[in-house]
């Protein structure tokens, strides 16, 4: 009897040890941002916010950001580094949506057709972007963000000059497309989000949106189990090794960047329906760094990433930003510092994640 | 002429438990050209590093023994000490600033300053380094040094764009311009020169020596040594073999001293070996642009089931051959594989044709060091032969694991499991993983480069035995490139020696060591008497 008790006790402490060892294996940045998430959550609850509402918000942000974060996986695996040129994908996605709206499509047709078109446009631009990355081997990290900035500026001109006359899309006065085109006008607001939506313990689950995210993640996971996917990973780990095994290194990198850009392009459709607007002009510029931070917070490094990094990192980082706003609004009622605080958190986490990128965020 | 200038007394040096120099003593006389000779790893560089007080010597515990210069014991703790004592060196890699003129390069950090009123003011205000330069005098000095070398190039020409041979002369001019220069070390100065430039340099060396400077001439080219040197010192495996007057010896003897009789042949069942006459690989006029291992027109044929060795000194191009044929470096020439002409530069086509390659650069080319053993082993076979793919074209983890476990057992790879990262394995076990990857392709022809470099004796034997077994039992054709002649002779049917990017000759493994030594030193098998 006694010995059994002792045995049970030691079994328990063993389990604790094992749990601790598992915990230690979680990258430090994931633990740190996760810890911050729970601190903010608890502060919110203490100040009277409903935890269910906060979770709902977290899931909402997760749903619209996950695809952007996922677009980093192929480019990181191929050795090109994180997809800092996310705006390239975003402008092509926006172009797909804008063209289909101008063509008079609405509702599900609009979203599905523009999603397909976004993949096509994204692939074309991604292919060219991949060629560019091969031409600047060694300085991808410097060129990629500027490619994003440059293409955002270029498309700023396109949005002004494009000969679209749809009254719901252009400025009231003068030429050019509006900064924000509400999807309400096109009956396409929240379509994925509302599909099979349900509530559990007060938390709203945007089932359709989450299903799309998970499906994309599963496809990505499967892709990196195919011959092409494994070849891309090998190229990223050691290009000479891949070359000696008969892999075309440049071609693998182009495939990976084409995928990254096409996925980002597709992500625009999910993001737009989730927030209810198609946002043009300098909007694409602000997505690259937060999306990269998502995957890094999830435990990826500049050289290696997995789908699980996307899921964990996006939930924690975007979830943190999602709840920071309502929580600090309550805590600092009246003071107009909520948005600056949110920006400090966002950029602080990005800075930290980037600083650890080369070693792997651990 | 024959006064002893520099003396090495009982020099020994240990690098982390590895004795690289054992009690080496010899002297260098005033005004002589003293050739220093030895295979790679014989200890020449270590000896010169000691002479120059290089940090690599003193950060690894220094050395034992002593150096005397003009009869006095000297402690050389840094390259600055060496320079102050009048010891100069011309390195294999040029240390010149391309955007500066020849004069500026020669006088760098030894500029002649003007003495005038302005300078006396500025130097007081801002320090001595703010003085203006006496360019006229500097040019005059540079001219003098260049004239000594019989160089008719303008001293105000930029170094940028000079032919490589000229850069070599500028380096030498810089050294002889230094005041009080006593010993000048030239480390393989003729390696980058054309034949006429080399002749010119040898002549200039004579002039320098006649002015009283002792010239230490490091070279692999025996004919140059016999032509120009007064005495020769030969090192082998860190030991002094002999130091003697060149006029008392000849190239043949020097070659034998260099290679020694260490080539032990313990071949088993040698006589029973019957090679087929079928030529499985024929290479004609192969050129490969591999940095430091350029191949300049090599031709050979390999028979089916043969173990063909490629040897030679480092940097002579032996490694370029396999890399070029596999398409890892730009190459041209003709490669015929089992009667089929192959397009060069297409790695995939070579692999598809049943050729496998184990690279000399384990960590850089041979392995994914942050991936598991099983992933390393399966990769090439998957990408070339679609092995280890399930019916849904996804990787078949179970098949990969099973195969990896078999390989680990067969090759005795010491590891914790097939999941262990290859970066954590010892060199020998890493090499076995590389071989396992190549064997997984089930090749008919296997290229292995430096299979035993940096691995312990036990693993060495295991790998060589494995190669021999593959050839004897499975009839695999093996082309092994190695810096270790003994190793080549112990398992190969024929050994080709590459020198300066060209084929010096092909010898049977039991040929006398002298012949290998001569070929490695650039004396070509012109009369064909060596292979006879």
């Amino acid at each position: 009897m006694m010995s059994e008790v002792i045995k049970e006790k030691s079994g328990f402490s063993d389990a604790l040890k094992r749990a601790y060892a598992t915990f230690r294996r979680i990258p430090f940045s994931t633990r740190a941002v996760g810890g911050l998430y729970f601190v903010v959550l608890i502060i919110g609850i203490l100040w009277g916010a409903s935890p269910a509402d906060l979770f709902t918000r977290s899931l909402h942000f997760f749903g619209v950001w996950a695809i952007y974060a996922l677009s980093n996986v192929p480019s990181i695996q191929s050795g090109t580094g994180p997809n800092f040129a996310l705006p390239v994908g975003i402008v092509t996605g926006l172009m797909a949506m804008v063209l289909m709206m101008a063509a008079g499509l609405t509702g599900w047709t609009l979203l599905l057709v523009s999603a397909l078109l976004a993949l096509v446009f994204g692939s074309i631009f991604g292919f060219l972007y991949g060629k560019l990355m091969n031409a600047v081997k060694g300085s991808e990290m410097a060129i990629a963000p500027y490619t994003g900035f440059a293409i955002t500026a270029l498309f700023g001109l396109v949005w002004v000059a494009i000969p679209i006359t749809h009254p719901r899309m252009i400025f009231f006065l003068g030429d050019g497309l509006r900064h924000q085109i509400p999807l309400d006008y096109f009956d396409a607001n929240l379509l994925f989000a509302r599909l099979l939506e349900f509530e559990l313990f007060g938390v709203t689950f945007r089932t359709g949106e989450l299903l799309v995210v998970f499906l994309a993640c599963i496809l990505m996971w499967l892709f990196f189990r195919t011959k092409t996917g494994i070849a891309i990973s090998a190229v990223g780990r050691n290009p000479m090794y891949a070359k000696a095994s008969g892999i075309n290194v440049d071609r693998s990198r182009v495939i990976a960047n084409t995928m990254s850009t096409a996925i980002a392009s597709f992500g625009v459709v999910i993001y737009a329906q989730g927030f209810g607007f198609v946002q043009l002009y300098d909007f694409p510029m602000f997505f690259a760094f937060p999306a990269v931070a998502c995957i890094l917070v999830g435990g990826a490094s500049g050289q290696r990433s997995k789908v699980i990094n996307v899921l964990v990192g996006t939930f924690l980082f975007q979830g943190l930003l999602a709840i920071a706003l309502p929580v600090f609004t309550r805590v600092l009622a009246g003071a107009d510092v909520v948005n600056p605080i949110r920006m400090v958190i966002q950029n602080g986490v990005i800075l930290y994640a980037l600083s650890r990128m080369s070693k792997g965020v651990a | 002429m024959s006064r002893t200038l520099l003396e090495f007394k009982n020099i020994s040096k240990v690098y982390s438990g590895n004795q690289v120099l054992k009690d080496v003593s010899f002297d260098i006389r005033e005004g002589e050209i003293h050739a220093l000779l030895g295979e790679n790893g014989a200890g020449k560089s270590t000896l010169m590093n000691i002479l120059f007080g290089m940090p690599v010597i003193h950060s690894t515990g220094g050395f034992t023994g002593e150096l005397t210069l003009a009869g006095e014991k000297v402690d050389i703790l840094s390259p600055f000490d060496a320079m102050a004592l009048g010891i100069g060196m011309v390195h294999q890699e040029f240390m010149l600033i391309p955007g500066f003129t020849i004069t500026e390069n020669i006088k760098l950090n030894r500029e002649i300053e003007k003495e005038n009123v302005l300078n006396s003011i500025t130097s007081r205000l801002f320090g001595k380094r703010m003085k203006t330069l006496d360019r006229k005098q500097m040019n005059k000095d540079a001219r003098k040094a260049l004239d000594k070398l019989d160089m008719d190039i303008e001293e105000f020409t930029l170094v940028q764009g000079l032919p490589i041979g000229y850069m070599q002369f500028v380096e030498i001019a810089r050294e002889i311009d230094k005041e009080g220069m006593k010993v000048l070390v030239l480390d393989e100065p003729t390696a980058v020169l054309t034949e006429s430039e080399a002749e010119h340099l040898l002549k200039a060396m004579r002039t320098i020596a006649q002015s009283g400077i002792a010239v230490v001439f490091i070279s692999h080219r025996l004919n140059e040594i016999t032509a120009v040197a007064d005495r020769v010192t030969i090192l082998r495996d860190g030991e002094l073999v002999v130091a003697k007057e060149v006029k008392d010896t000849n190239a043949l003897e020097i070659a034998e001293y260099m290679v020694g009789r260490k080539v032990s042949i313990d071949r088993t069942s040698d006589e029973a070996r019957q090679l087929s006459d079928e030529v499985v690989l024929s290479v004609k006029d192969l050129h490969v642009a591999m940095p430091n291992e350029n191949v300049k027109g090599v031709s050979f044929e390999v028979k089916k089931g043969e173990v063909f060795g490629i040897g030679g000194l480092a940097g002579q191009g032996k490694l370029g051959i396999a890399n070029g044929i596999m398409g890892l470096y730009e190459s041209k020439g003709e490669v015929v594989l089992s009667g089929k002409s192959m397009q060069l530069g297409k790695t995939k086509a070579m692999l598809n044709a049943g050729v496998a390659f184990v690279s000399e650069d384990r960590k850089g080319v041979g392995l994914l060091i942050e991936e598991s053993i099983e992933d390393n082993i399966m990769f090439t076979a998957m990408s070339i032969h679609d092995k280890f793919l399930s019916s849904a074209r996804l990787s078949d983890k179970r098949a990969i694991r099973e195969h990896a476990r078999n390989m680990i057992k067969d090759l005795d790879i010491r590891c914790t499991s097939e999941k262990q990262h290859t970066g954590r394995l010892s060199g020998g076990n890493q090499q076995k993983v590389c071989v396992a990857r190549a064997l997984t392709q089930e090749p008919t022809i296997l290229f292995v480069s430096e299979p035993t470099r940096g691995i312990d004796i036990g693993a060495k034997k295991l790998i060589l035995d494995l190669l021999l077994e593959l050839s004897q039992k499975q009839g695999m054709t093996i082309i092994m490139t190695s810096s270790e002649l003994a190793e080549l002779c112990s398992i190969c049917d024929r050994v080709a020696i590459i020198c300066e990017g060209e084929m010096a000759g092909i010898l049977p493994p039991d040929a006398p060591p002298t012949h290998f030594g001569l070929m490695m030193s650039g004396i070509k098998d012109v009369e064909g008497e060596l292979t006879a």
Side-chain angles (χ1 to χ4, degrees):
Chain A
M1 192 73 189
M2 273 292 275
S3 66
E4 253 189 287
V5 172
I6 290 165
K7 209 172 163 190
E8 215 165 85
K9 237 185 176 173
S10 74
F12 177 71
S13 78
D14 273 358
L16 212 63
K17 261 185 206 153
R18 268 202 303 278
Y20 181 69
T22 314
F23 177 72
R24 293 282 305 183
R25 271 210 297 278
I26 300 172
F28 180 75
S29 65
T30 312
R31 278 184 274 153
V33 175
L36 203 57
Y37 178 85
F38 284 105
V39 169
V40 175
L41 187 71
I42 286 162
I43 294 175
I45 293 168
L46 292 177
W47 258 264
S50 134
D53 285 354
L54 295 181
F55 273 126
T56 301
R57 255 185 92 83
S58 300
L59 274 179
H60 172 197
F61 270 64
F62 167 79
V64 294
W65 275 91
I67 305 262
Y68 286 156
L70 185 69
S71 80
N72 286 300
V73 175
S75 63
I76 290 180
Q77 287 300 90
S78 75
T80 327
N83 188 18
F84 283 114
L86 188 71
V88 177
I90 295 184
V91 293
T92 56
L94 291 173
M95 182 51 95
M97 291 197 78
V98 163
L99 289 180
M100 289 305 98
M101 288 155 102
L105 300 188
T106 55
W108 278 108
T109 334
L110 171 64
L111 291 188
L112 294 176
V113 174
S114 25
L116 273 180
L117 199 61
L119 286 171
V120 174
F121 285 177
S123 302
I124 296 168
F125 274 66
F127 175 80
L128 296 173
Y129 171 69
K131 292 272 180 200
L132 173 71
M133 285 294 101
N134 281 340
V136 299
K137 248 182 226 171
S139 44
E140 291 97 337
M141 300 269 190
I143 304 289
Y146 257 83
T147 314
F149 295 161
I151 202 153
T152 305
L154 184 71
F155 271 74
L157 293 176
V158 172
W159 307 136
V160 175
I162 198 166
I164 285 175
T165 51
H166 196 295
R168 292 260 154 104
M169 295 168 71
I170 56 171
F171 284 123
F172 291 116
L173 299 167
D175 289 333
L177 299 173
R178 295 182 200 184
H179 282 101
Q180 293 200 348
I181 306 169
L183 279 178
D184 260 345
Y185 295 165
F186 297 85
D187 303 321
N189 190 16
L190 293 173
L191 283 187
F192 280 108
R194 291 278 143 79
L195 183 72
L196 303 170
E197 189 181 58
F198 66 93
E199 222 183 273
L200 194 68
F201 306 119
V203 180
T204 311
F205 287 84
R206 298 176 144 191
T207 317
E209 201 174 275
L210 294 178
L211 280 179
V212 172
V213 167
F214 288 128
L215 186 66
C217 285
I218 288 169
L219 287 177
M220 182 66 76
W221 183 78
L222 285 174
F223 174 74
F224 279 101
R225 257 139 206 83
T226 64
K227 194 174 141 182
T228 313
I230 290 169
I232 287 174
S233 297
V235 165
R237 300 310 267 172
N238 182 349
M240 277 308 281
Y241 174 93
K243 195 180 169 195
S245 288
I247 305 293
N248 186 333
V249 172
D250 284 358
R251 195 171 140 261
S252 300
R253 285 163 54 104
V254 168
I255 293 173
N257 281 296
T258 305
M259 281 180 67
S260 281
T261 308
I263 292 163
S265 188
F266 172 78
V268 172
V269 177
I270 300 301
Y271 189 92
Q273 65 79 36
F275 274 112
F277 295 97
V278 167
Q279 294 162 294
L280 305 175
Y281 298 100
D282 58 357
F283 153 91
M285 216 139 80
F286 304 111
F287 282 76
F289 287 93
V292 171
C294 282
I295 191 164
L296 295 179
V297 162
S301 73
Q303 294 81 38
R304 188 171 224 191
S305 62
K306 291 180 186 163
V307 170
I308 187 74
N309 303 141
V310 173
L311 296 175
V312 173
T314 311
F315 183 83
L316 291 179
F317 181 46
Q318 289 304 330
L320 173 66
L321 297 178
I323 64 175
L325 196 64
V327 168
F328 286 110
T329 310
R330 272 171 189 276
V331 176
L332 304 163
D336 200 8
V337 292
V338 175
N339 219 36
I341 286 180
R342 189 175 163 276
M343 292 312 285
V344 166
I345 295 178
Q346 169 168 340
N347 290 311
V349 172
I350 290 173
L351 189 59
Y352 169 72
L354 291 180
S355 72
R356 301 304 300 269
M357 186 166 70
S358 60
K359 298 167 210 156
V361 184
Chain B
M1 162 143 174
S2 54
R3 216 151 52 92
T4 294
L5 180 66
L6 178 70
E7 205 174 352
F8 292 88
K9 279 186 189 160
N10 308 94
I11 305 283
S12 294
K13 168 71 191 159
V14 177
Y15 274 128
S16 53
N18 198 358
Q19 183 116 28
V20 291
L21 283 177
K22 284 170 225 160
D23 210 18
V24 173
S25 304
F26 66 100
D27 65 320
I28 290 164
R29 294 175 199 155
E30 220 166 70
E32 75 166 345
I33 297 178
H34 194 113
L36 188 59
L37 189 71
E39 276 187 288
N40 309 108
K44 291 173 311 206
S45 319
T46 312
L47 205 56
M48 289 304 111
N49 284 339
I50 288 174
L51 182 60
F52 279 89
M54 296 306 256
V56 62
I57 298 294
H58 298 282
S59 64
T60 53
F63 63 98
T64 57
E66 65 179 52
L67 287 169
T68 61
L69 188 67
E72 277 177 56
K73 181 178 185 296
V74 287
D75 290 313
I76 301 171
L77 296 175
S78 75
F80 297 106
D81 293 347
M83 276 184 236
L85 288 168
I87 302 169
M89 176 148 186
V90 176
H91 297 266
Q92 270 176 295
E93 296 89 35
F94 299 138
M95 302 195 177
L96 297 172
I97 304 175
F100 280 18
T101 64
I102 292 178
T103 302
E104 283 165 339
N105 269 292
I106 289 178
K107 285 288 186 183
L108 188 68
N109 210 20
R110 297 183 300 113
E111 291 88 352
I112 303 167
E113 291 142 354
K114 270 187 190 156
E115 295 301 333
N116 55 27
V117 184
L118 183 70
N119 267 342
S120 70
I121 299 171
T122 51
S123 64
R124 268 184 205 134
L125 283 174
F126 306 115
K128 258 174 74 178
R129 298 199 67 96
M130 291 306 289
K131 281 185 176 174
T132 51
L133 304 180
D134 185 353
R135 289 187 177 267
K136 223 191 226 164
Q137 188 57 42
M138 282 165 61
N139 280 334
K140 235 187 242 168
D141 283 6
R143 186 70 260 158
K144 217 170 90 190
L146 291 172
D147 284 343
K148 219 183 221 175
L149 296 175
D150 204 11
M151 289 277 294
D152 52 0
I153 190 168
E154 304 292 355
E155 64 275 14
F156 41 81
T157 320
L158 287 184
V159 164
Q160 208 158 27
L162 282 183
I164 287 194
Y166 281 54
M167 292 194 195
Q168 180 86 61
F169 282 103
V170 173
E171 286 250 349
I172 297 171
R174 182 180 63 200
E175 296 306 317
I176 61 173
D177 177 58
K178 289 177 184 165
E179 258 171 68
M181 177 58 57
K182 294 193 185 92
V183 182
L184 177 63
V185 180
L186 300 173
D187 188 2
E188 295 206 39
T190 54
V192 292
L193 303 185
T194 62
E195 223 161 288
S196 62
E197 283 172 334
E199 257 169 53
H200 185 175
L201 179 79
L202 298 182
K203 227 170 80 195
M205 278 167 60
R206 275 255 157 262
T207 321
I208 296 167
Q210 270 155 24
S211 71
I213 296 175
V215 177
V216 178
F217 178 42
I218 301 176
S219 177
H220 293 309
R221 297 185 181 171
L222 293 184
N223 45 7
E224 285 176 6
I225 290 174
T226 48
V228 75
D230 298 309
R231 288 196 303 152
V232 57
T233 292
I234 299 163
L235 296 177
R236 193 200 311 144
D237 295 333
E239 283 179 86
L240 181 81
V241 180
V242 76
K244 69 195 297 185
E245 301 274 334
V246 169
K247 60 177 189 290
D248 298 340
T249 181
N250 57 39
L252 206 72
E253 197 185 39
I254 295 176
E256 191 177 326
Y257 282 133
M258 184 174 88
V259 178
R261 296 214 172 266
K262 64 180 175 181
V263 186
S264 61
I265 300 161
D266 47 352
R267 300 170 66 89
T268 48
S269 67
D270 197 25
E271 305 311 315
R273 220 166 135 70
Q274 286 275 313
L275 281 176
S276 90
D277 286 334
E278 190 188 337
V279 172
V280 73
L281 173 74
S282 140
V283 176
K284 275 199 197 104
D285 199 28
L286 179 74
H287 287 75
V288 183
M290 178 176 176
N292 291 325
E293 288 284 348
N294 274 309
V295 181
K296 301 163 193 160
V298 163
S299 306
F300 59 91
E301 284 184 344
V302 180
K303 305 235 164 66
K304 194 173 175 201
E306 189 178 20
V307 182
F308 186 78
I310 302 177
L313 297 169
Q316 303 289 328
K318 65 175 184 301
L319 291 172
I321 295 174
N323 278 297
I325 291 175
M326 292 311 291
L328 295 182
Y329 289 91
E330 214 169 301
S331 49
K332 62 172 197 223
E334 199 182 299
V335 173
V336 179
L337 205 67
S338 316
K340 227 176 72 187
S341 180
M342 304 296 292
Q343 198 184 344
L344 279 170
K346 302 273 184 212
T347 310
K348 197 164 183 177
M350 279 293 169
L351 294 164
N352 272 328
V355 183
F357 176 46
V358 176
S359 170
E360 71 283 355
D361 185 357
R362 273 202 297 273
K363 288 187 174 164
V365 181
L367 293 170
L368 297 172
I369 54 171
E370 285 168 78
E371 301 292 340
S372 63
I373 295 173
E374 55 177 14
D375 285 351
N376 269 282
I377 290 179
M378 67 87 182
F379 185 72
T380 314
M382 178 189 274
S383 70
I384 296 301
H385 299 310
D386 283 357
K387 273 190 181 179
F388 308 116
L389 287 174
S390 68
S391 47
R393 309 288 293 164
L394 295 176
S395 70
D396 185 348
K397 292 266 179 202
R398 190 177 295 170
I400 291 170
R401 181 153 317 148
E402 201 171 309
H403 176 76
R405 282 186 179 159
N406 285 336
M407 276 295 178
I408 287 170
K409 212 172 75 203
D410 290 350
L411 301 191
D412 189 25
I413 301 172
R414 307 283 166 84
C415 55
T416 53
S417 82
E418 68 280 356
K419 294 262 169 230
Q420 194 177 11
H421 288 187
T422 52
R424 301 252 172 87
L425 300 174
S426 70
N429 286 311
Q430 285 179 345
Q431 188 68 50
K432 289 181 203 161
V433 173
C434 293
V435 173
R437 178 170 61 82
L439 295 184
T440 305
Q441 286 167 249
E442 294 173 3
T444 50
I445 299 182
L446 177 66
F447 280 95
V448 269
S449 294
E450 303 285 10
T452 64
R453 179 190 276 175
I455 68 181
D456 62 88
I457 290 261
K460 230 178 218 184
K461 182 160 169 27
L462 211 143
I463 286 183
L464 293 177
D465 285 349
L466 175 72
L467 293 176
L468 207 55
E469 192 187 307
L470 287 171
S471 134
Q472 285 170 350
K473 295 214 176 121
Q474 299 184 24
M476 204 182 278
T477 309
I478 294 175
I479 296 150
M480 175 163 100
T481 310
S482 174
S483 302
E484 292 199 31
L485 194 55
E487 169 181 311
L488 289 171
C489 289
S490 71
I491 73 164
C492 295
D493 297 306
R494 290 184 298 155
V495 180
I497 300 294
I498 305 298
C499 184
E500 307 196 356
E502 289 167 21
M503 178 71 77
I506 299 178
L507 293 171
D510 48 5
T514 330
H515 294 184
F516 285 107
L518 282 174
M519 281 190 177
M520 283 181 176
S521 307
I523 292 176
K524 282 206 189 143
D525 178 16
V526 192
E527 277 88 13
E529 62 191 31
L530 292 184
T531 34

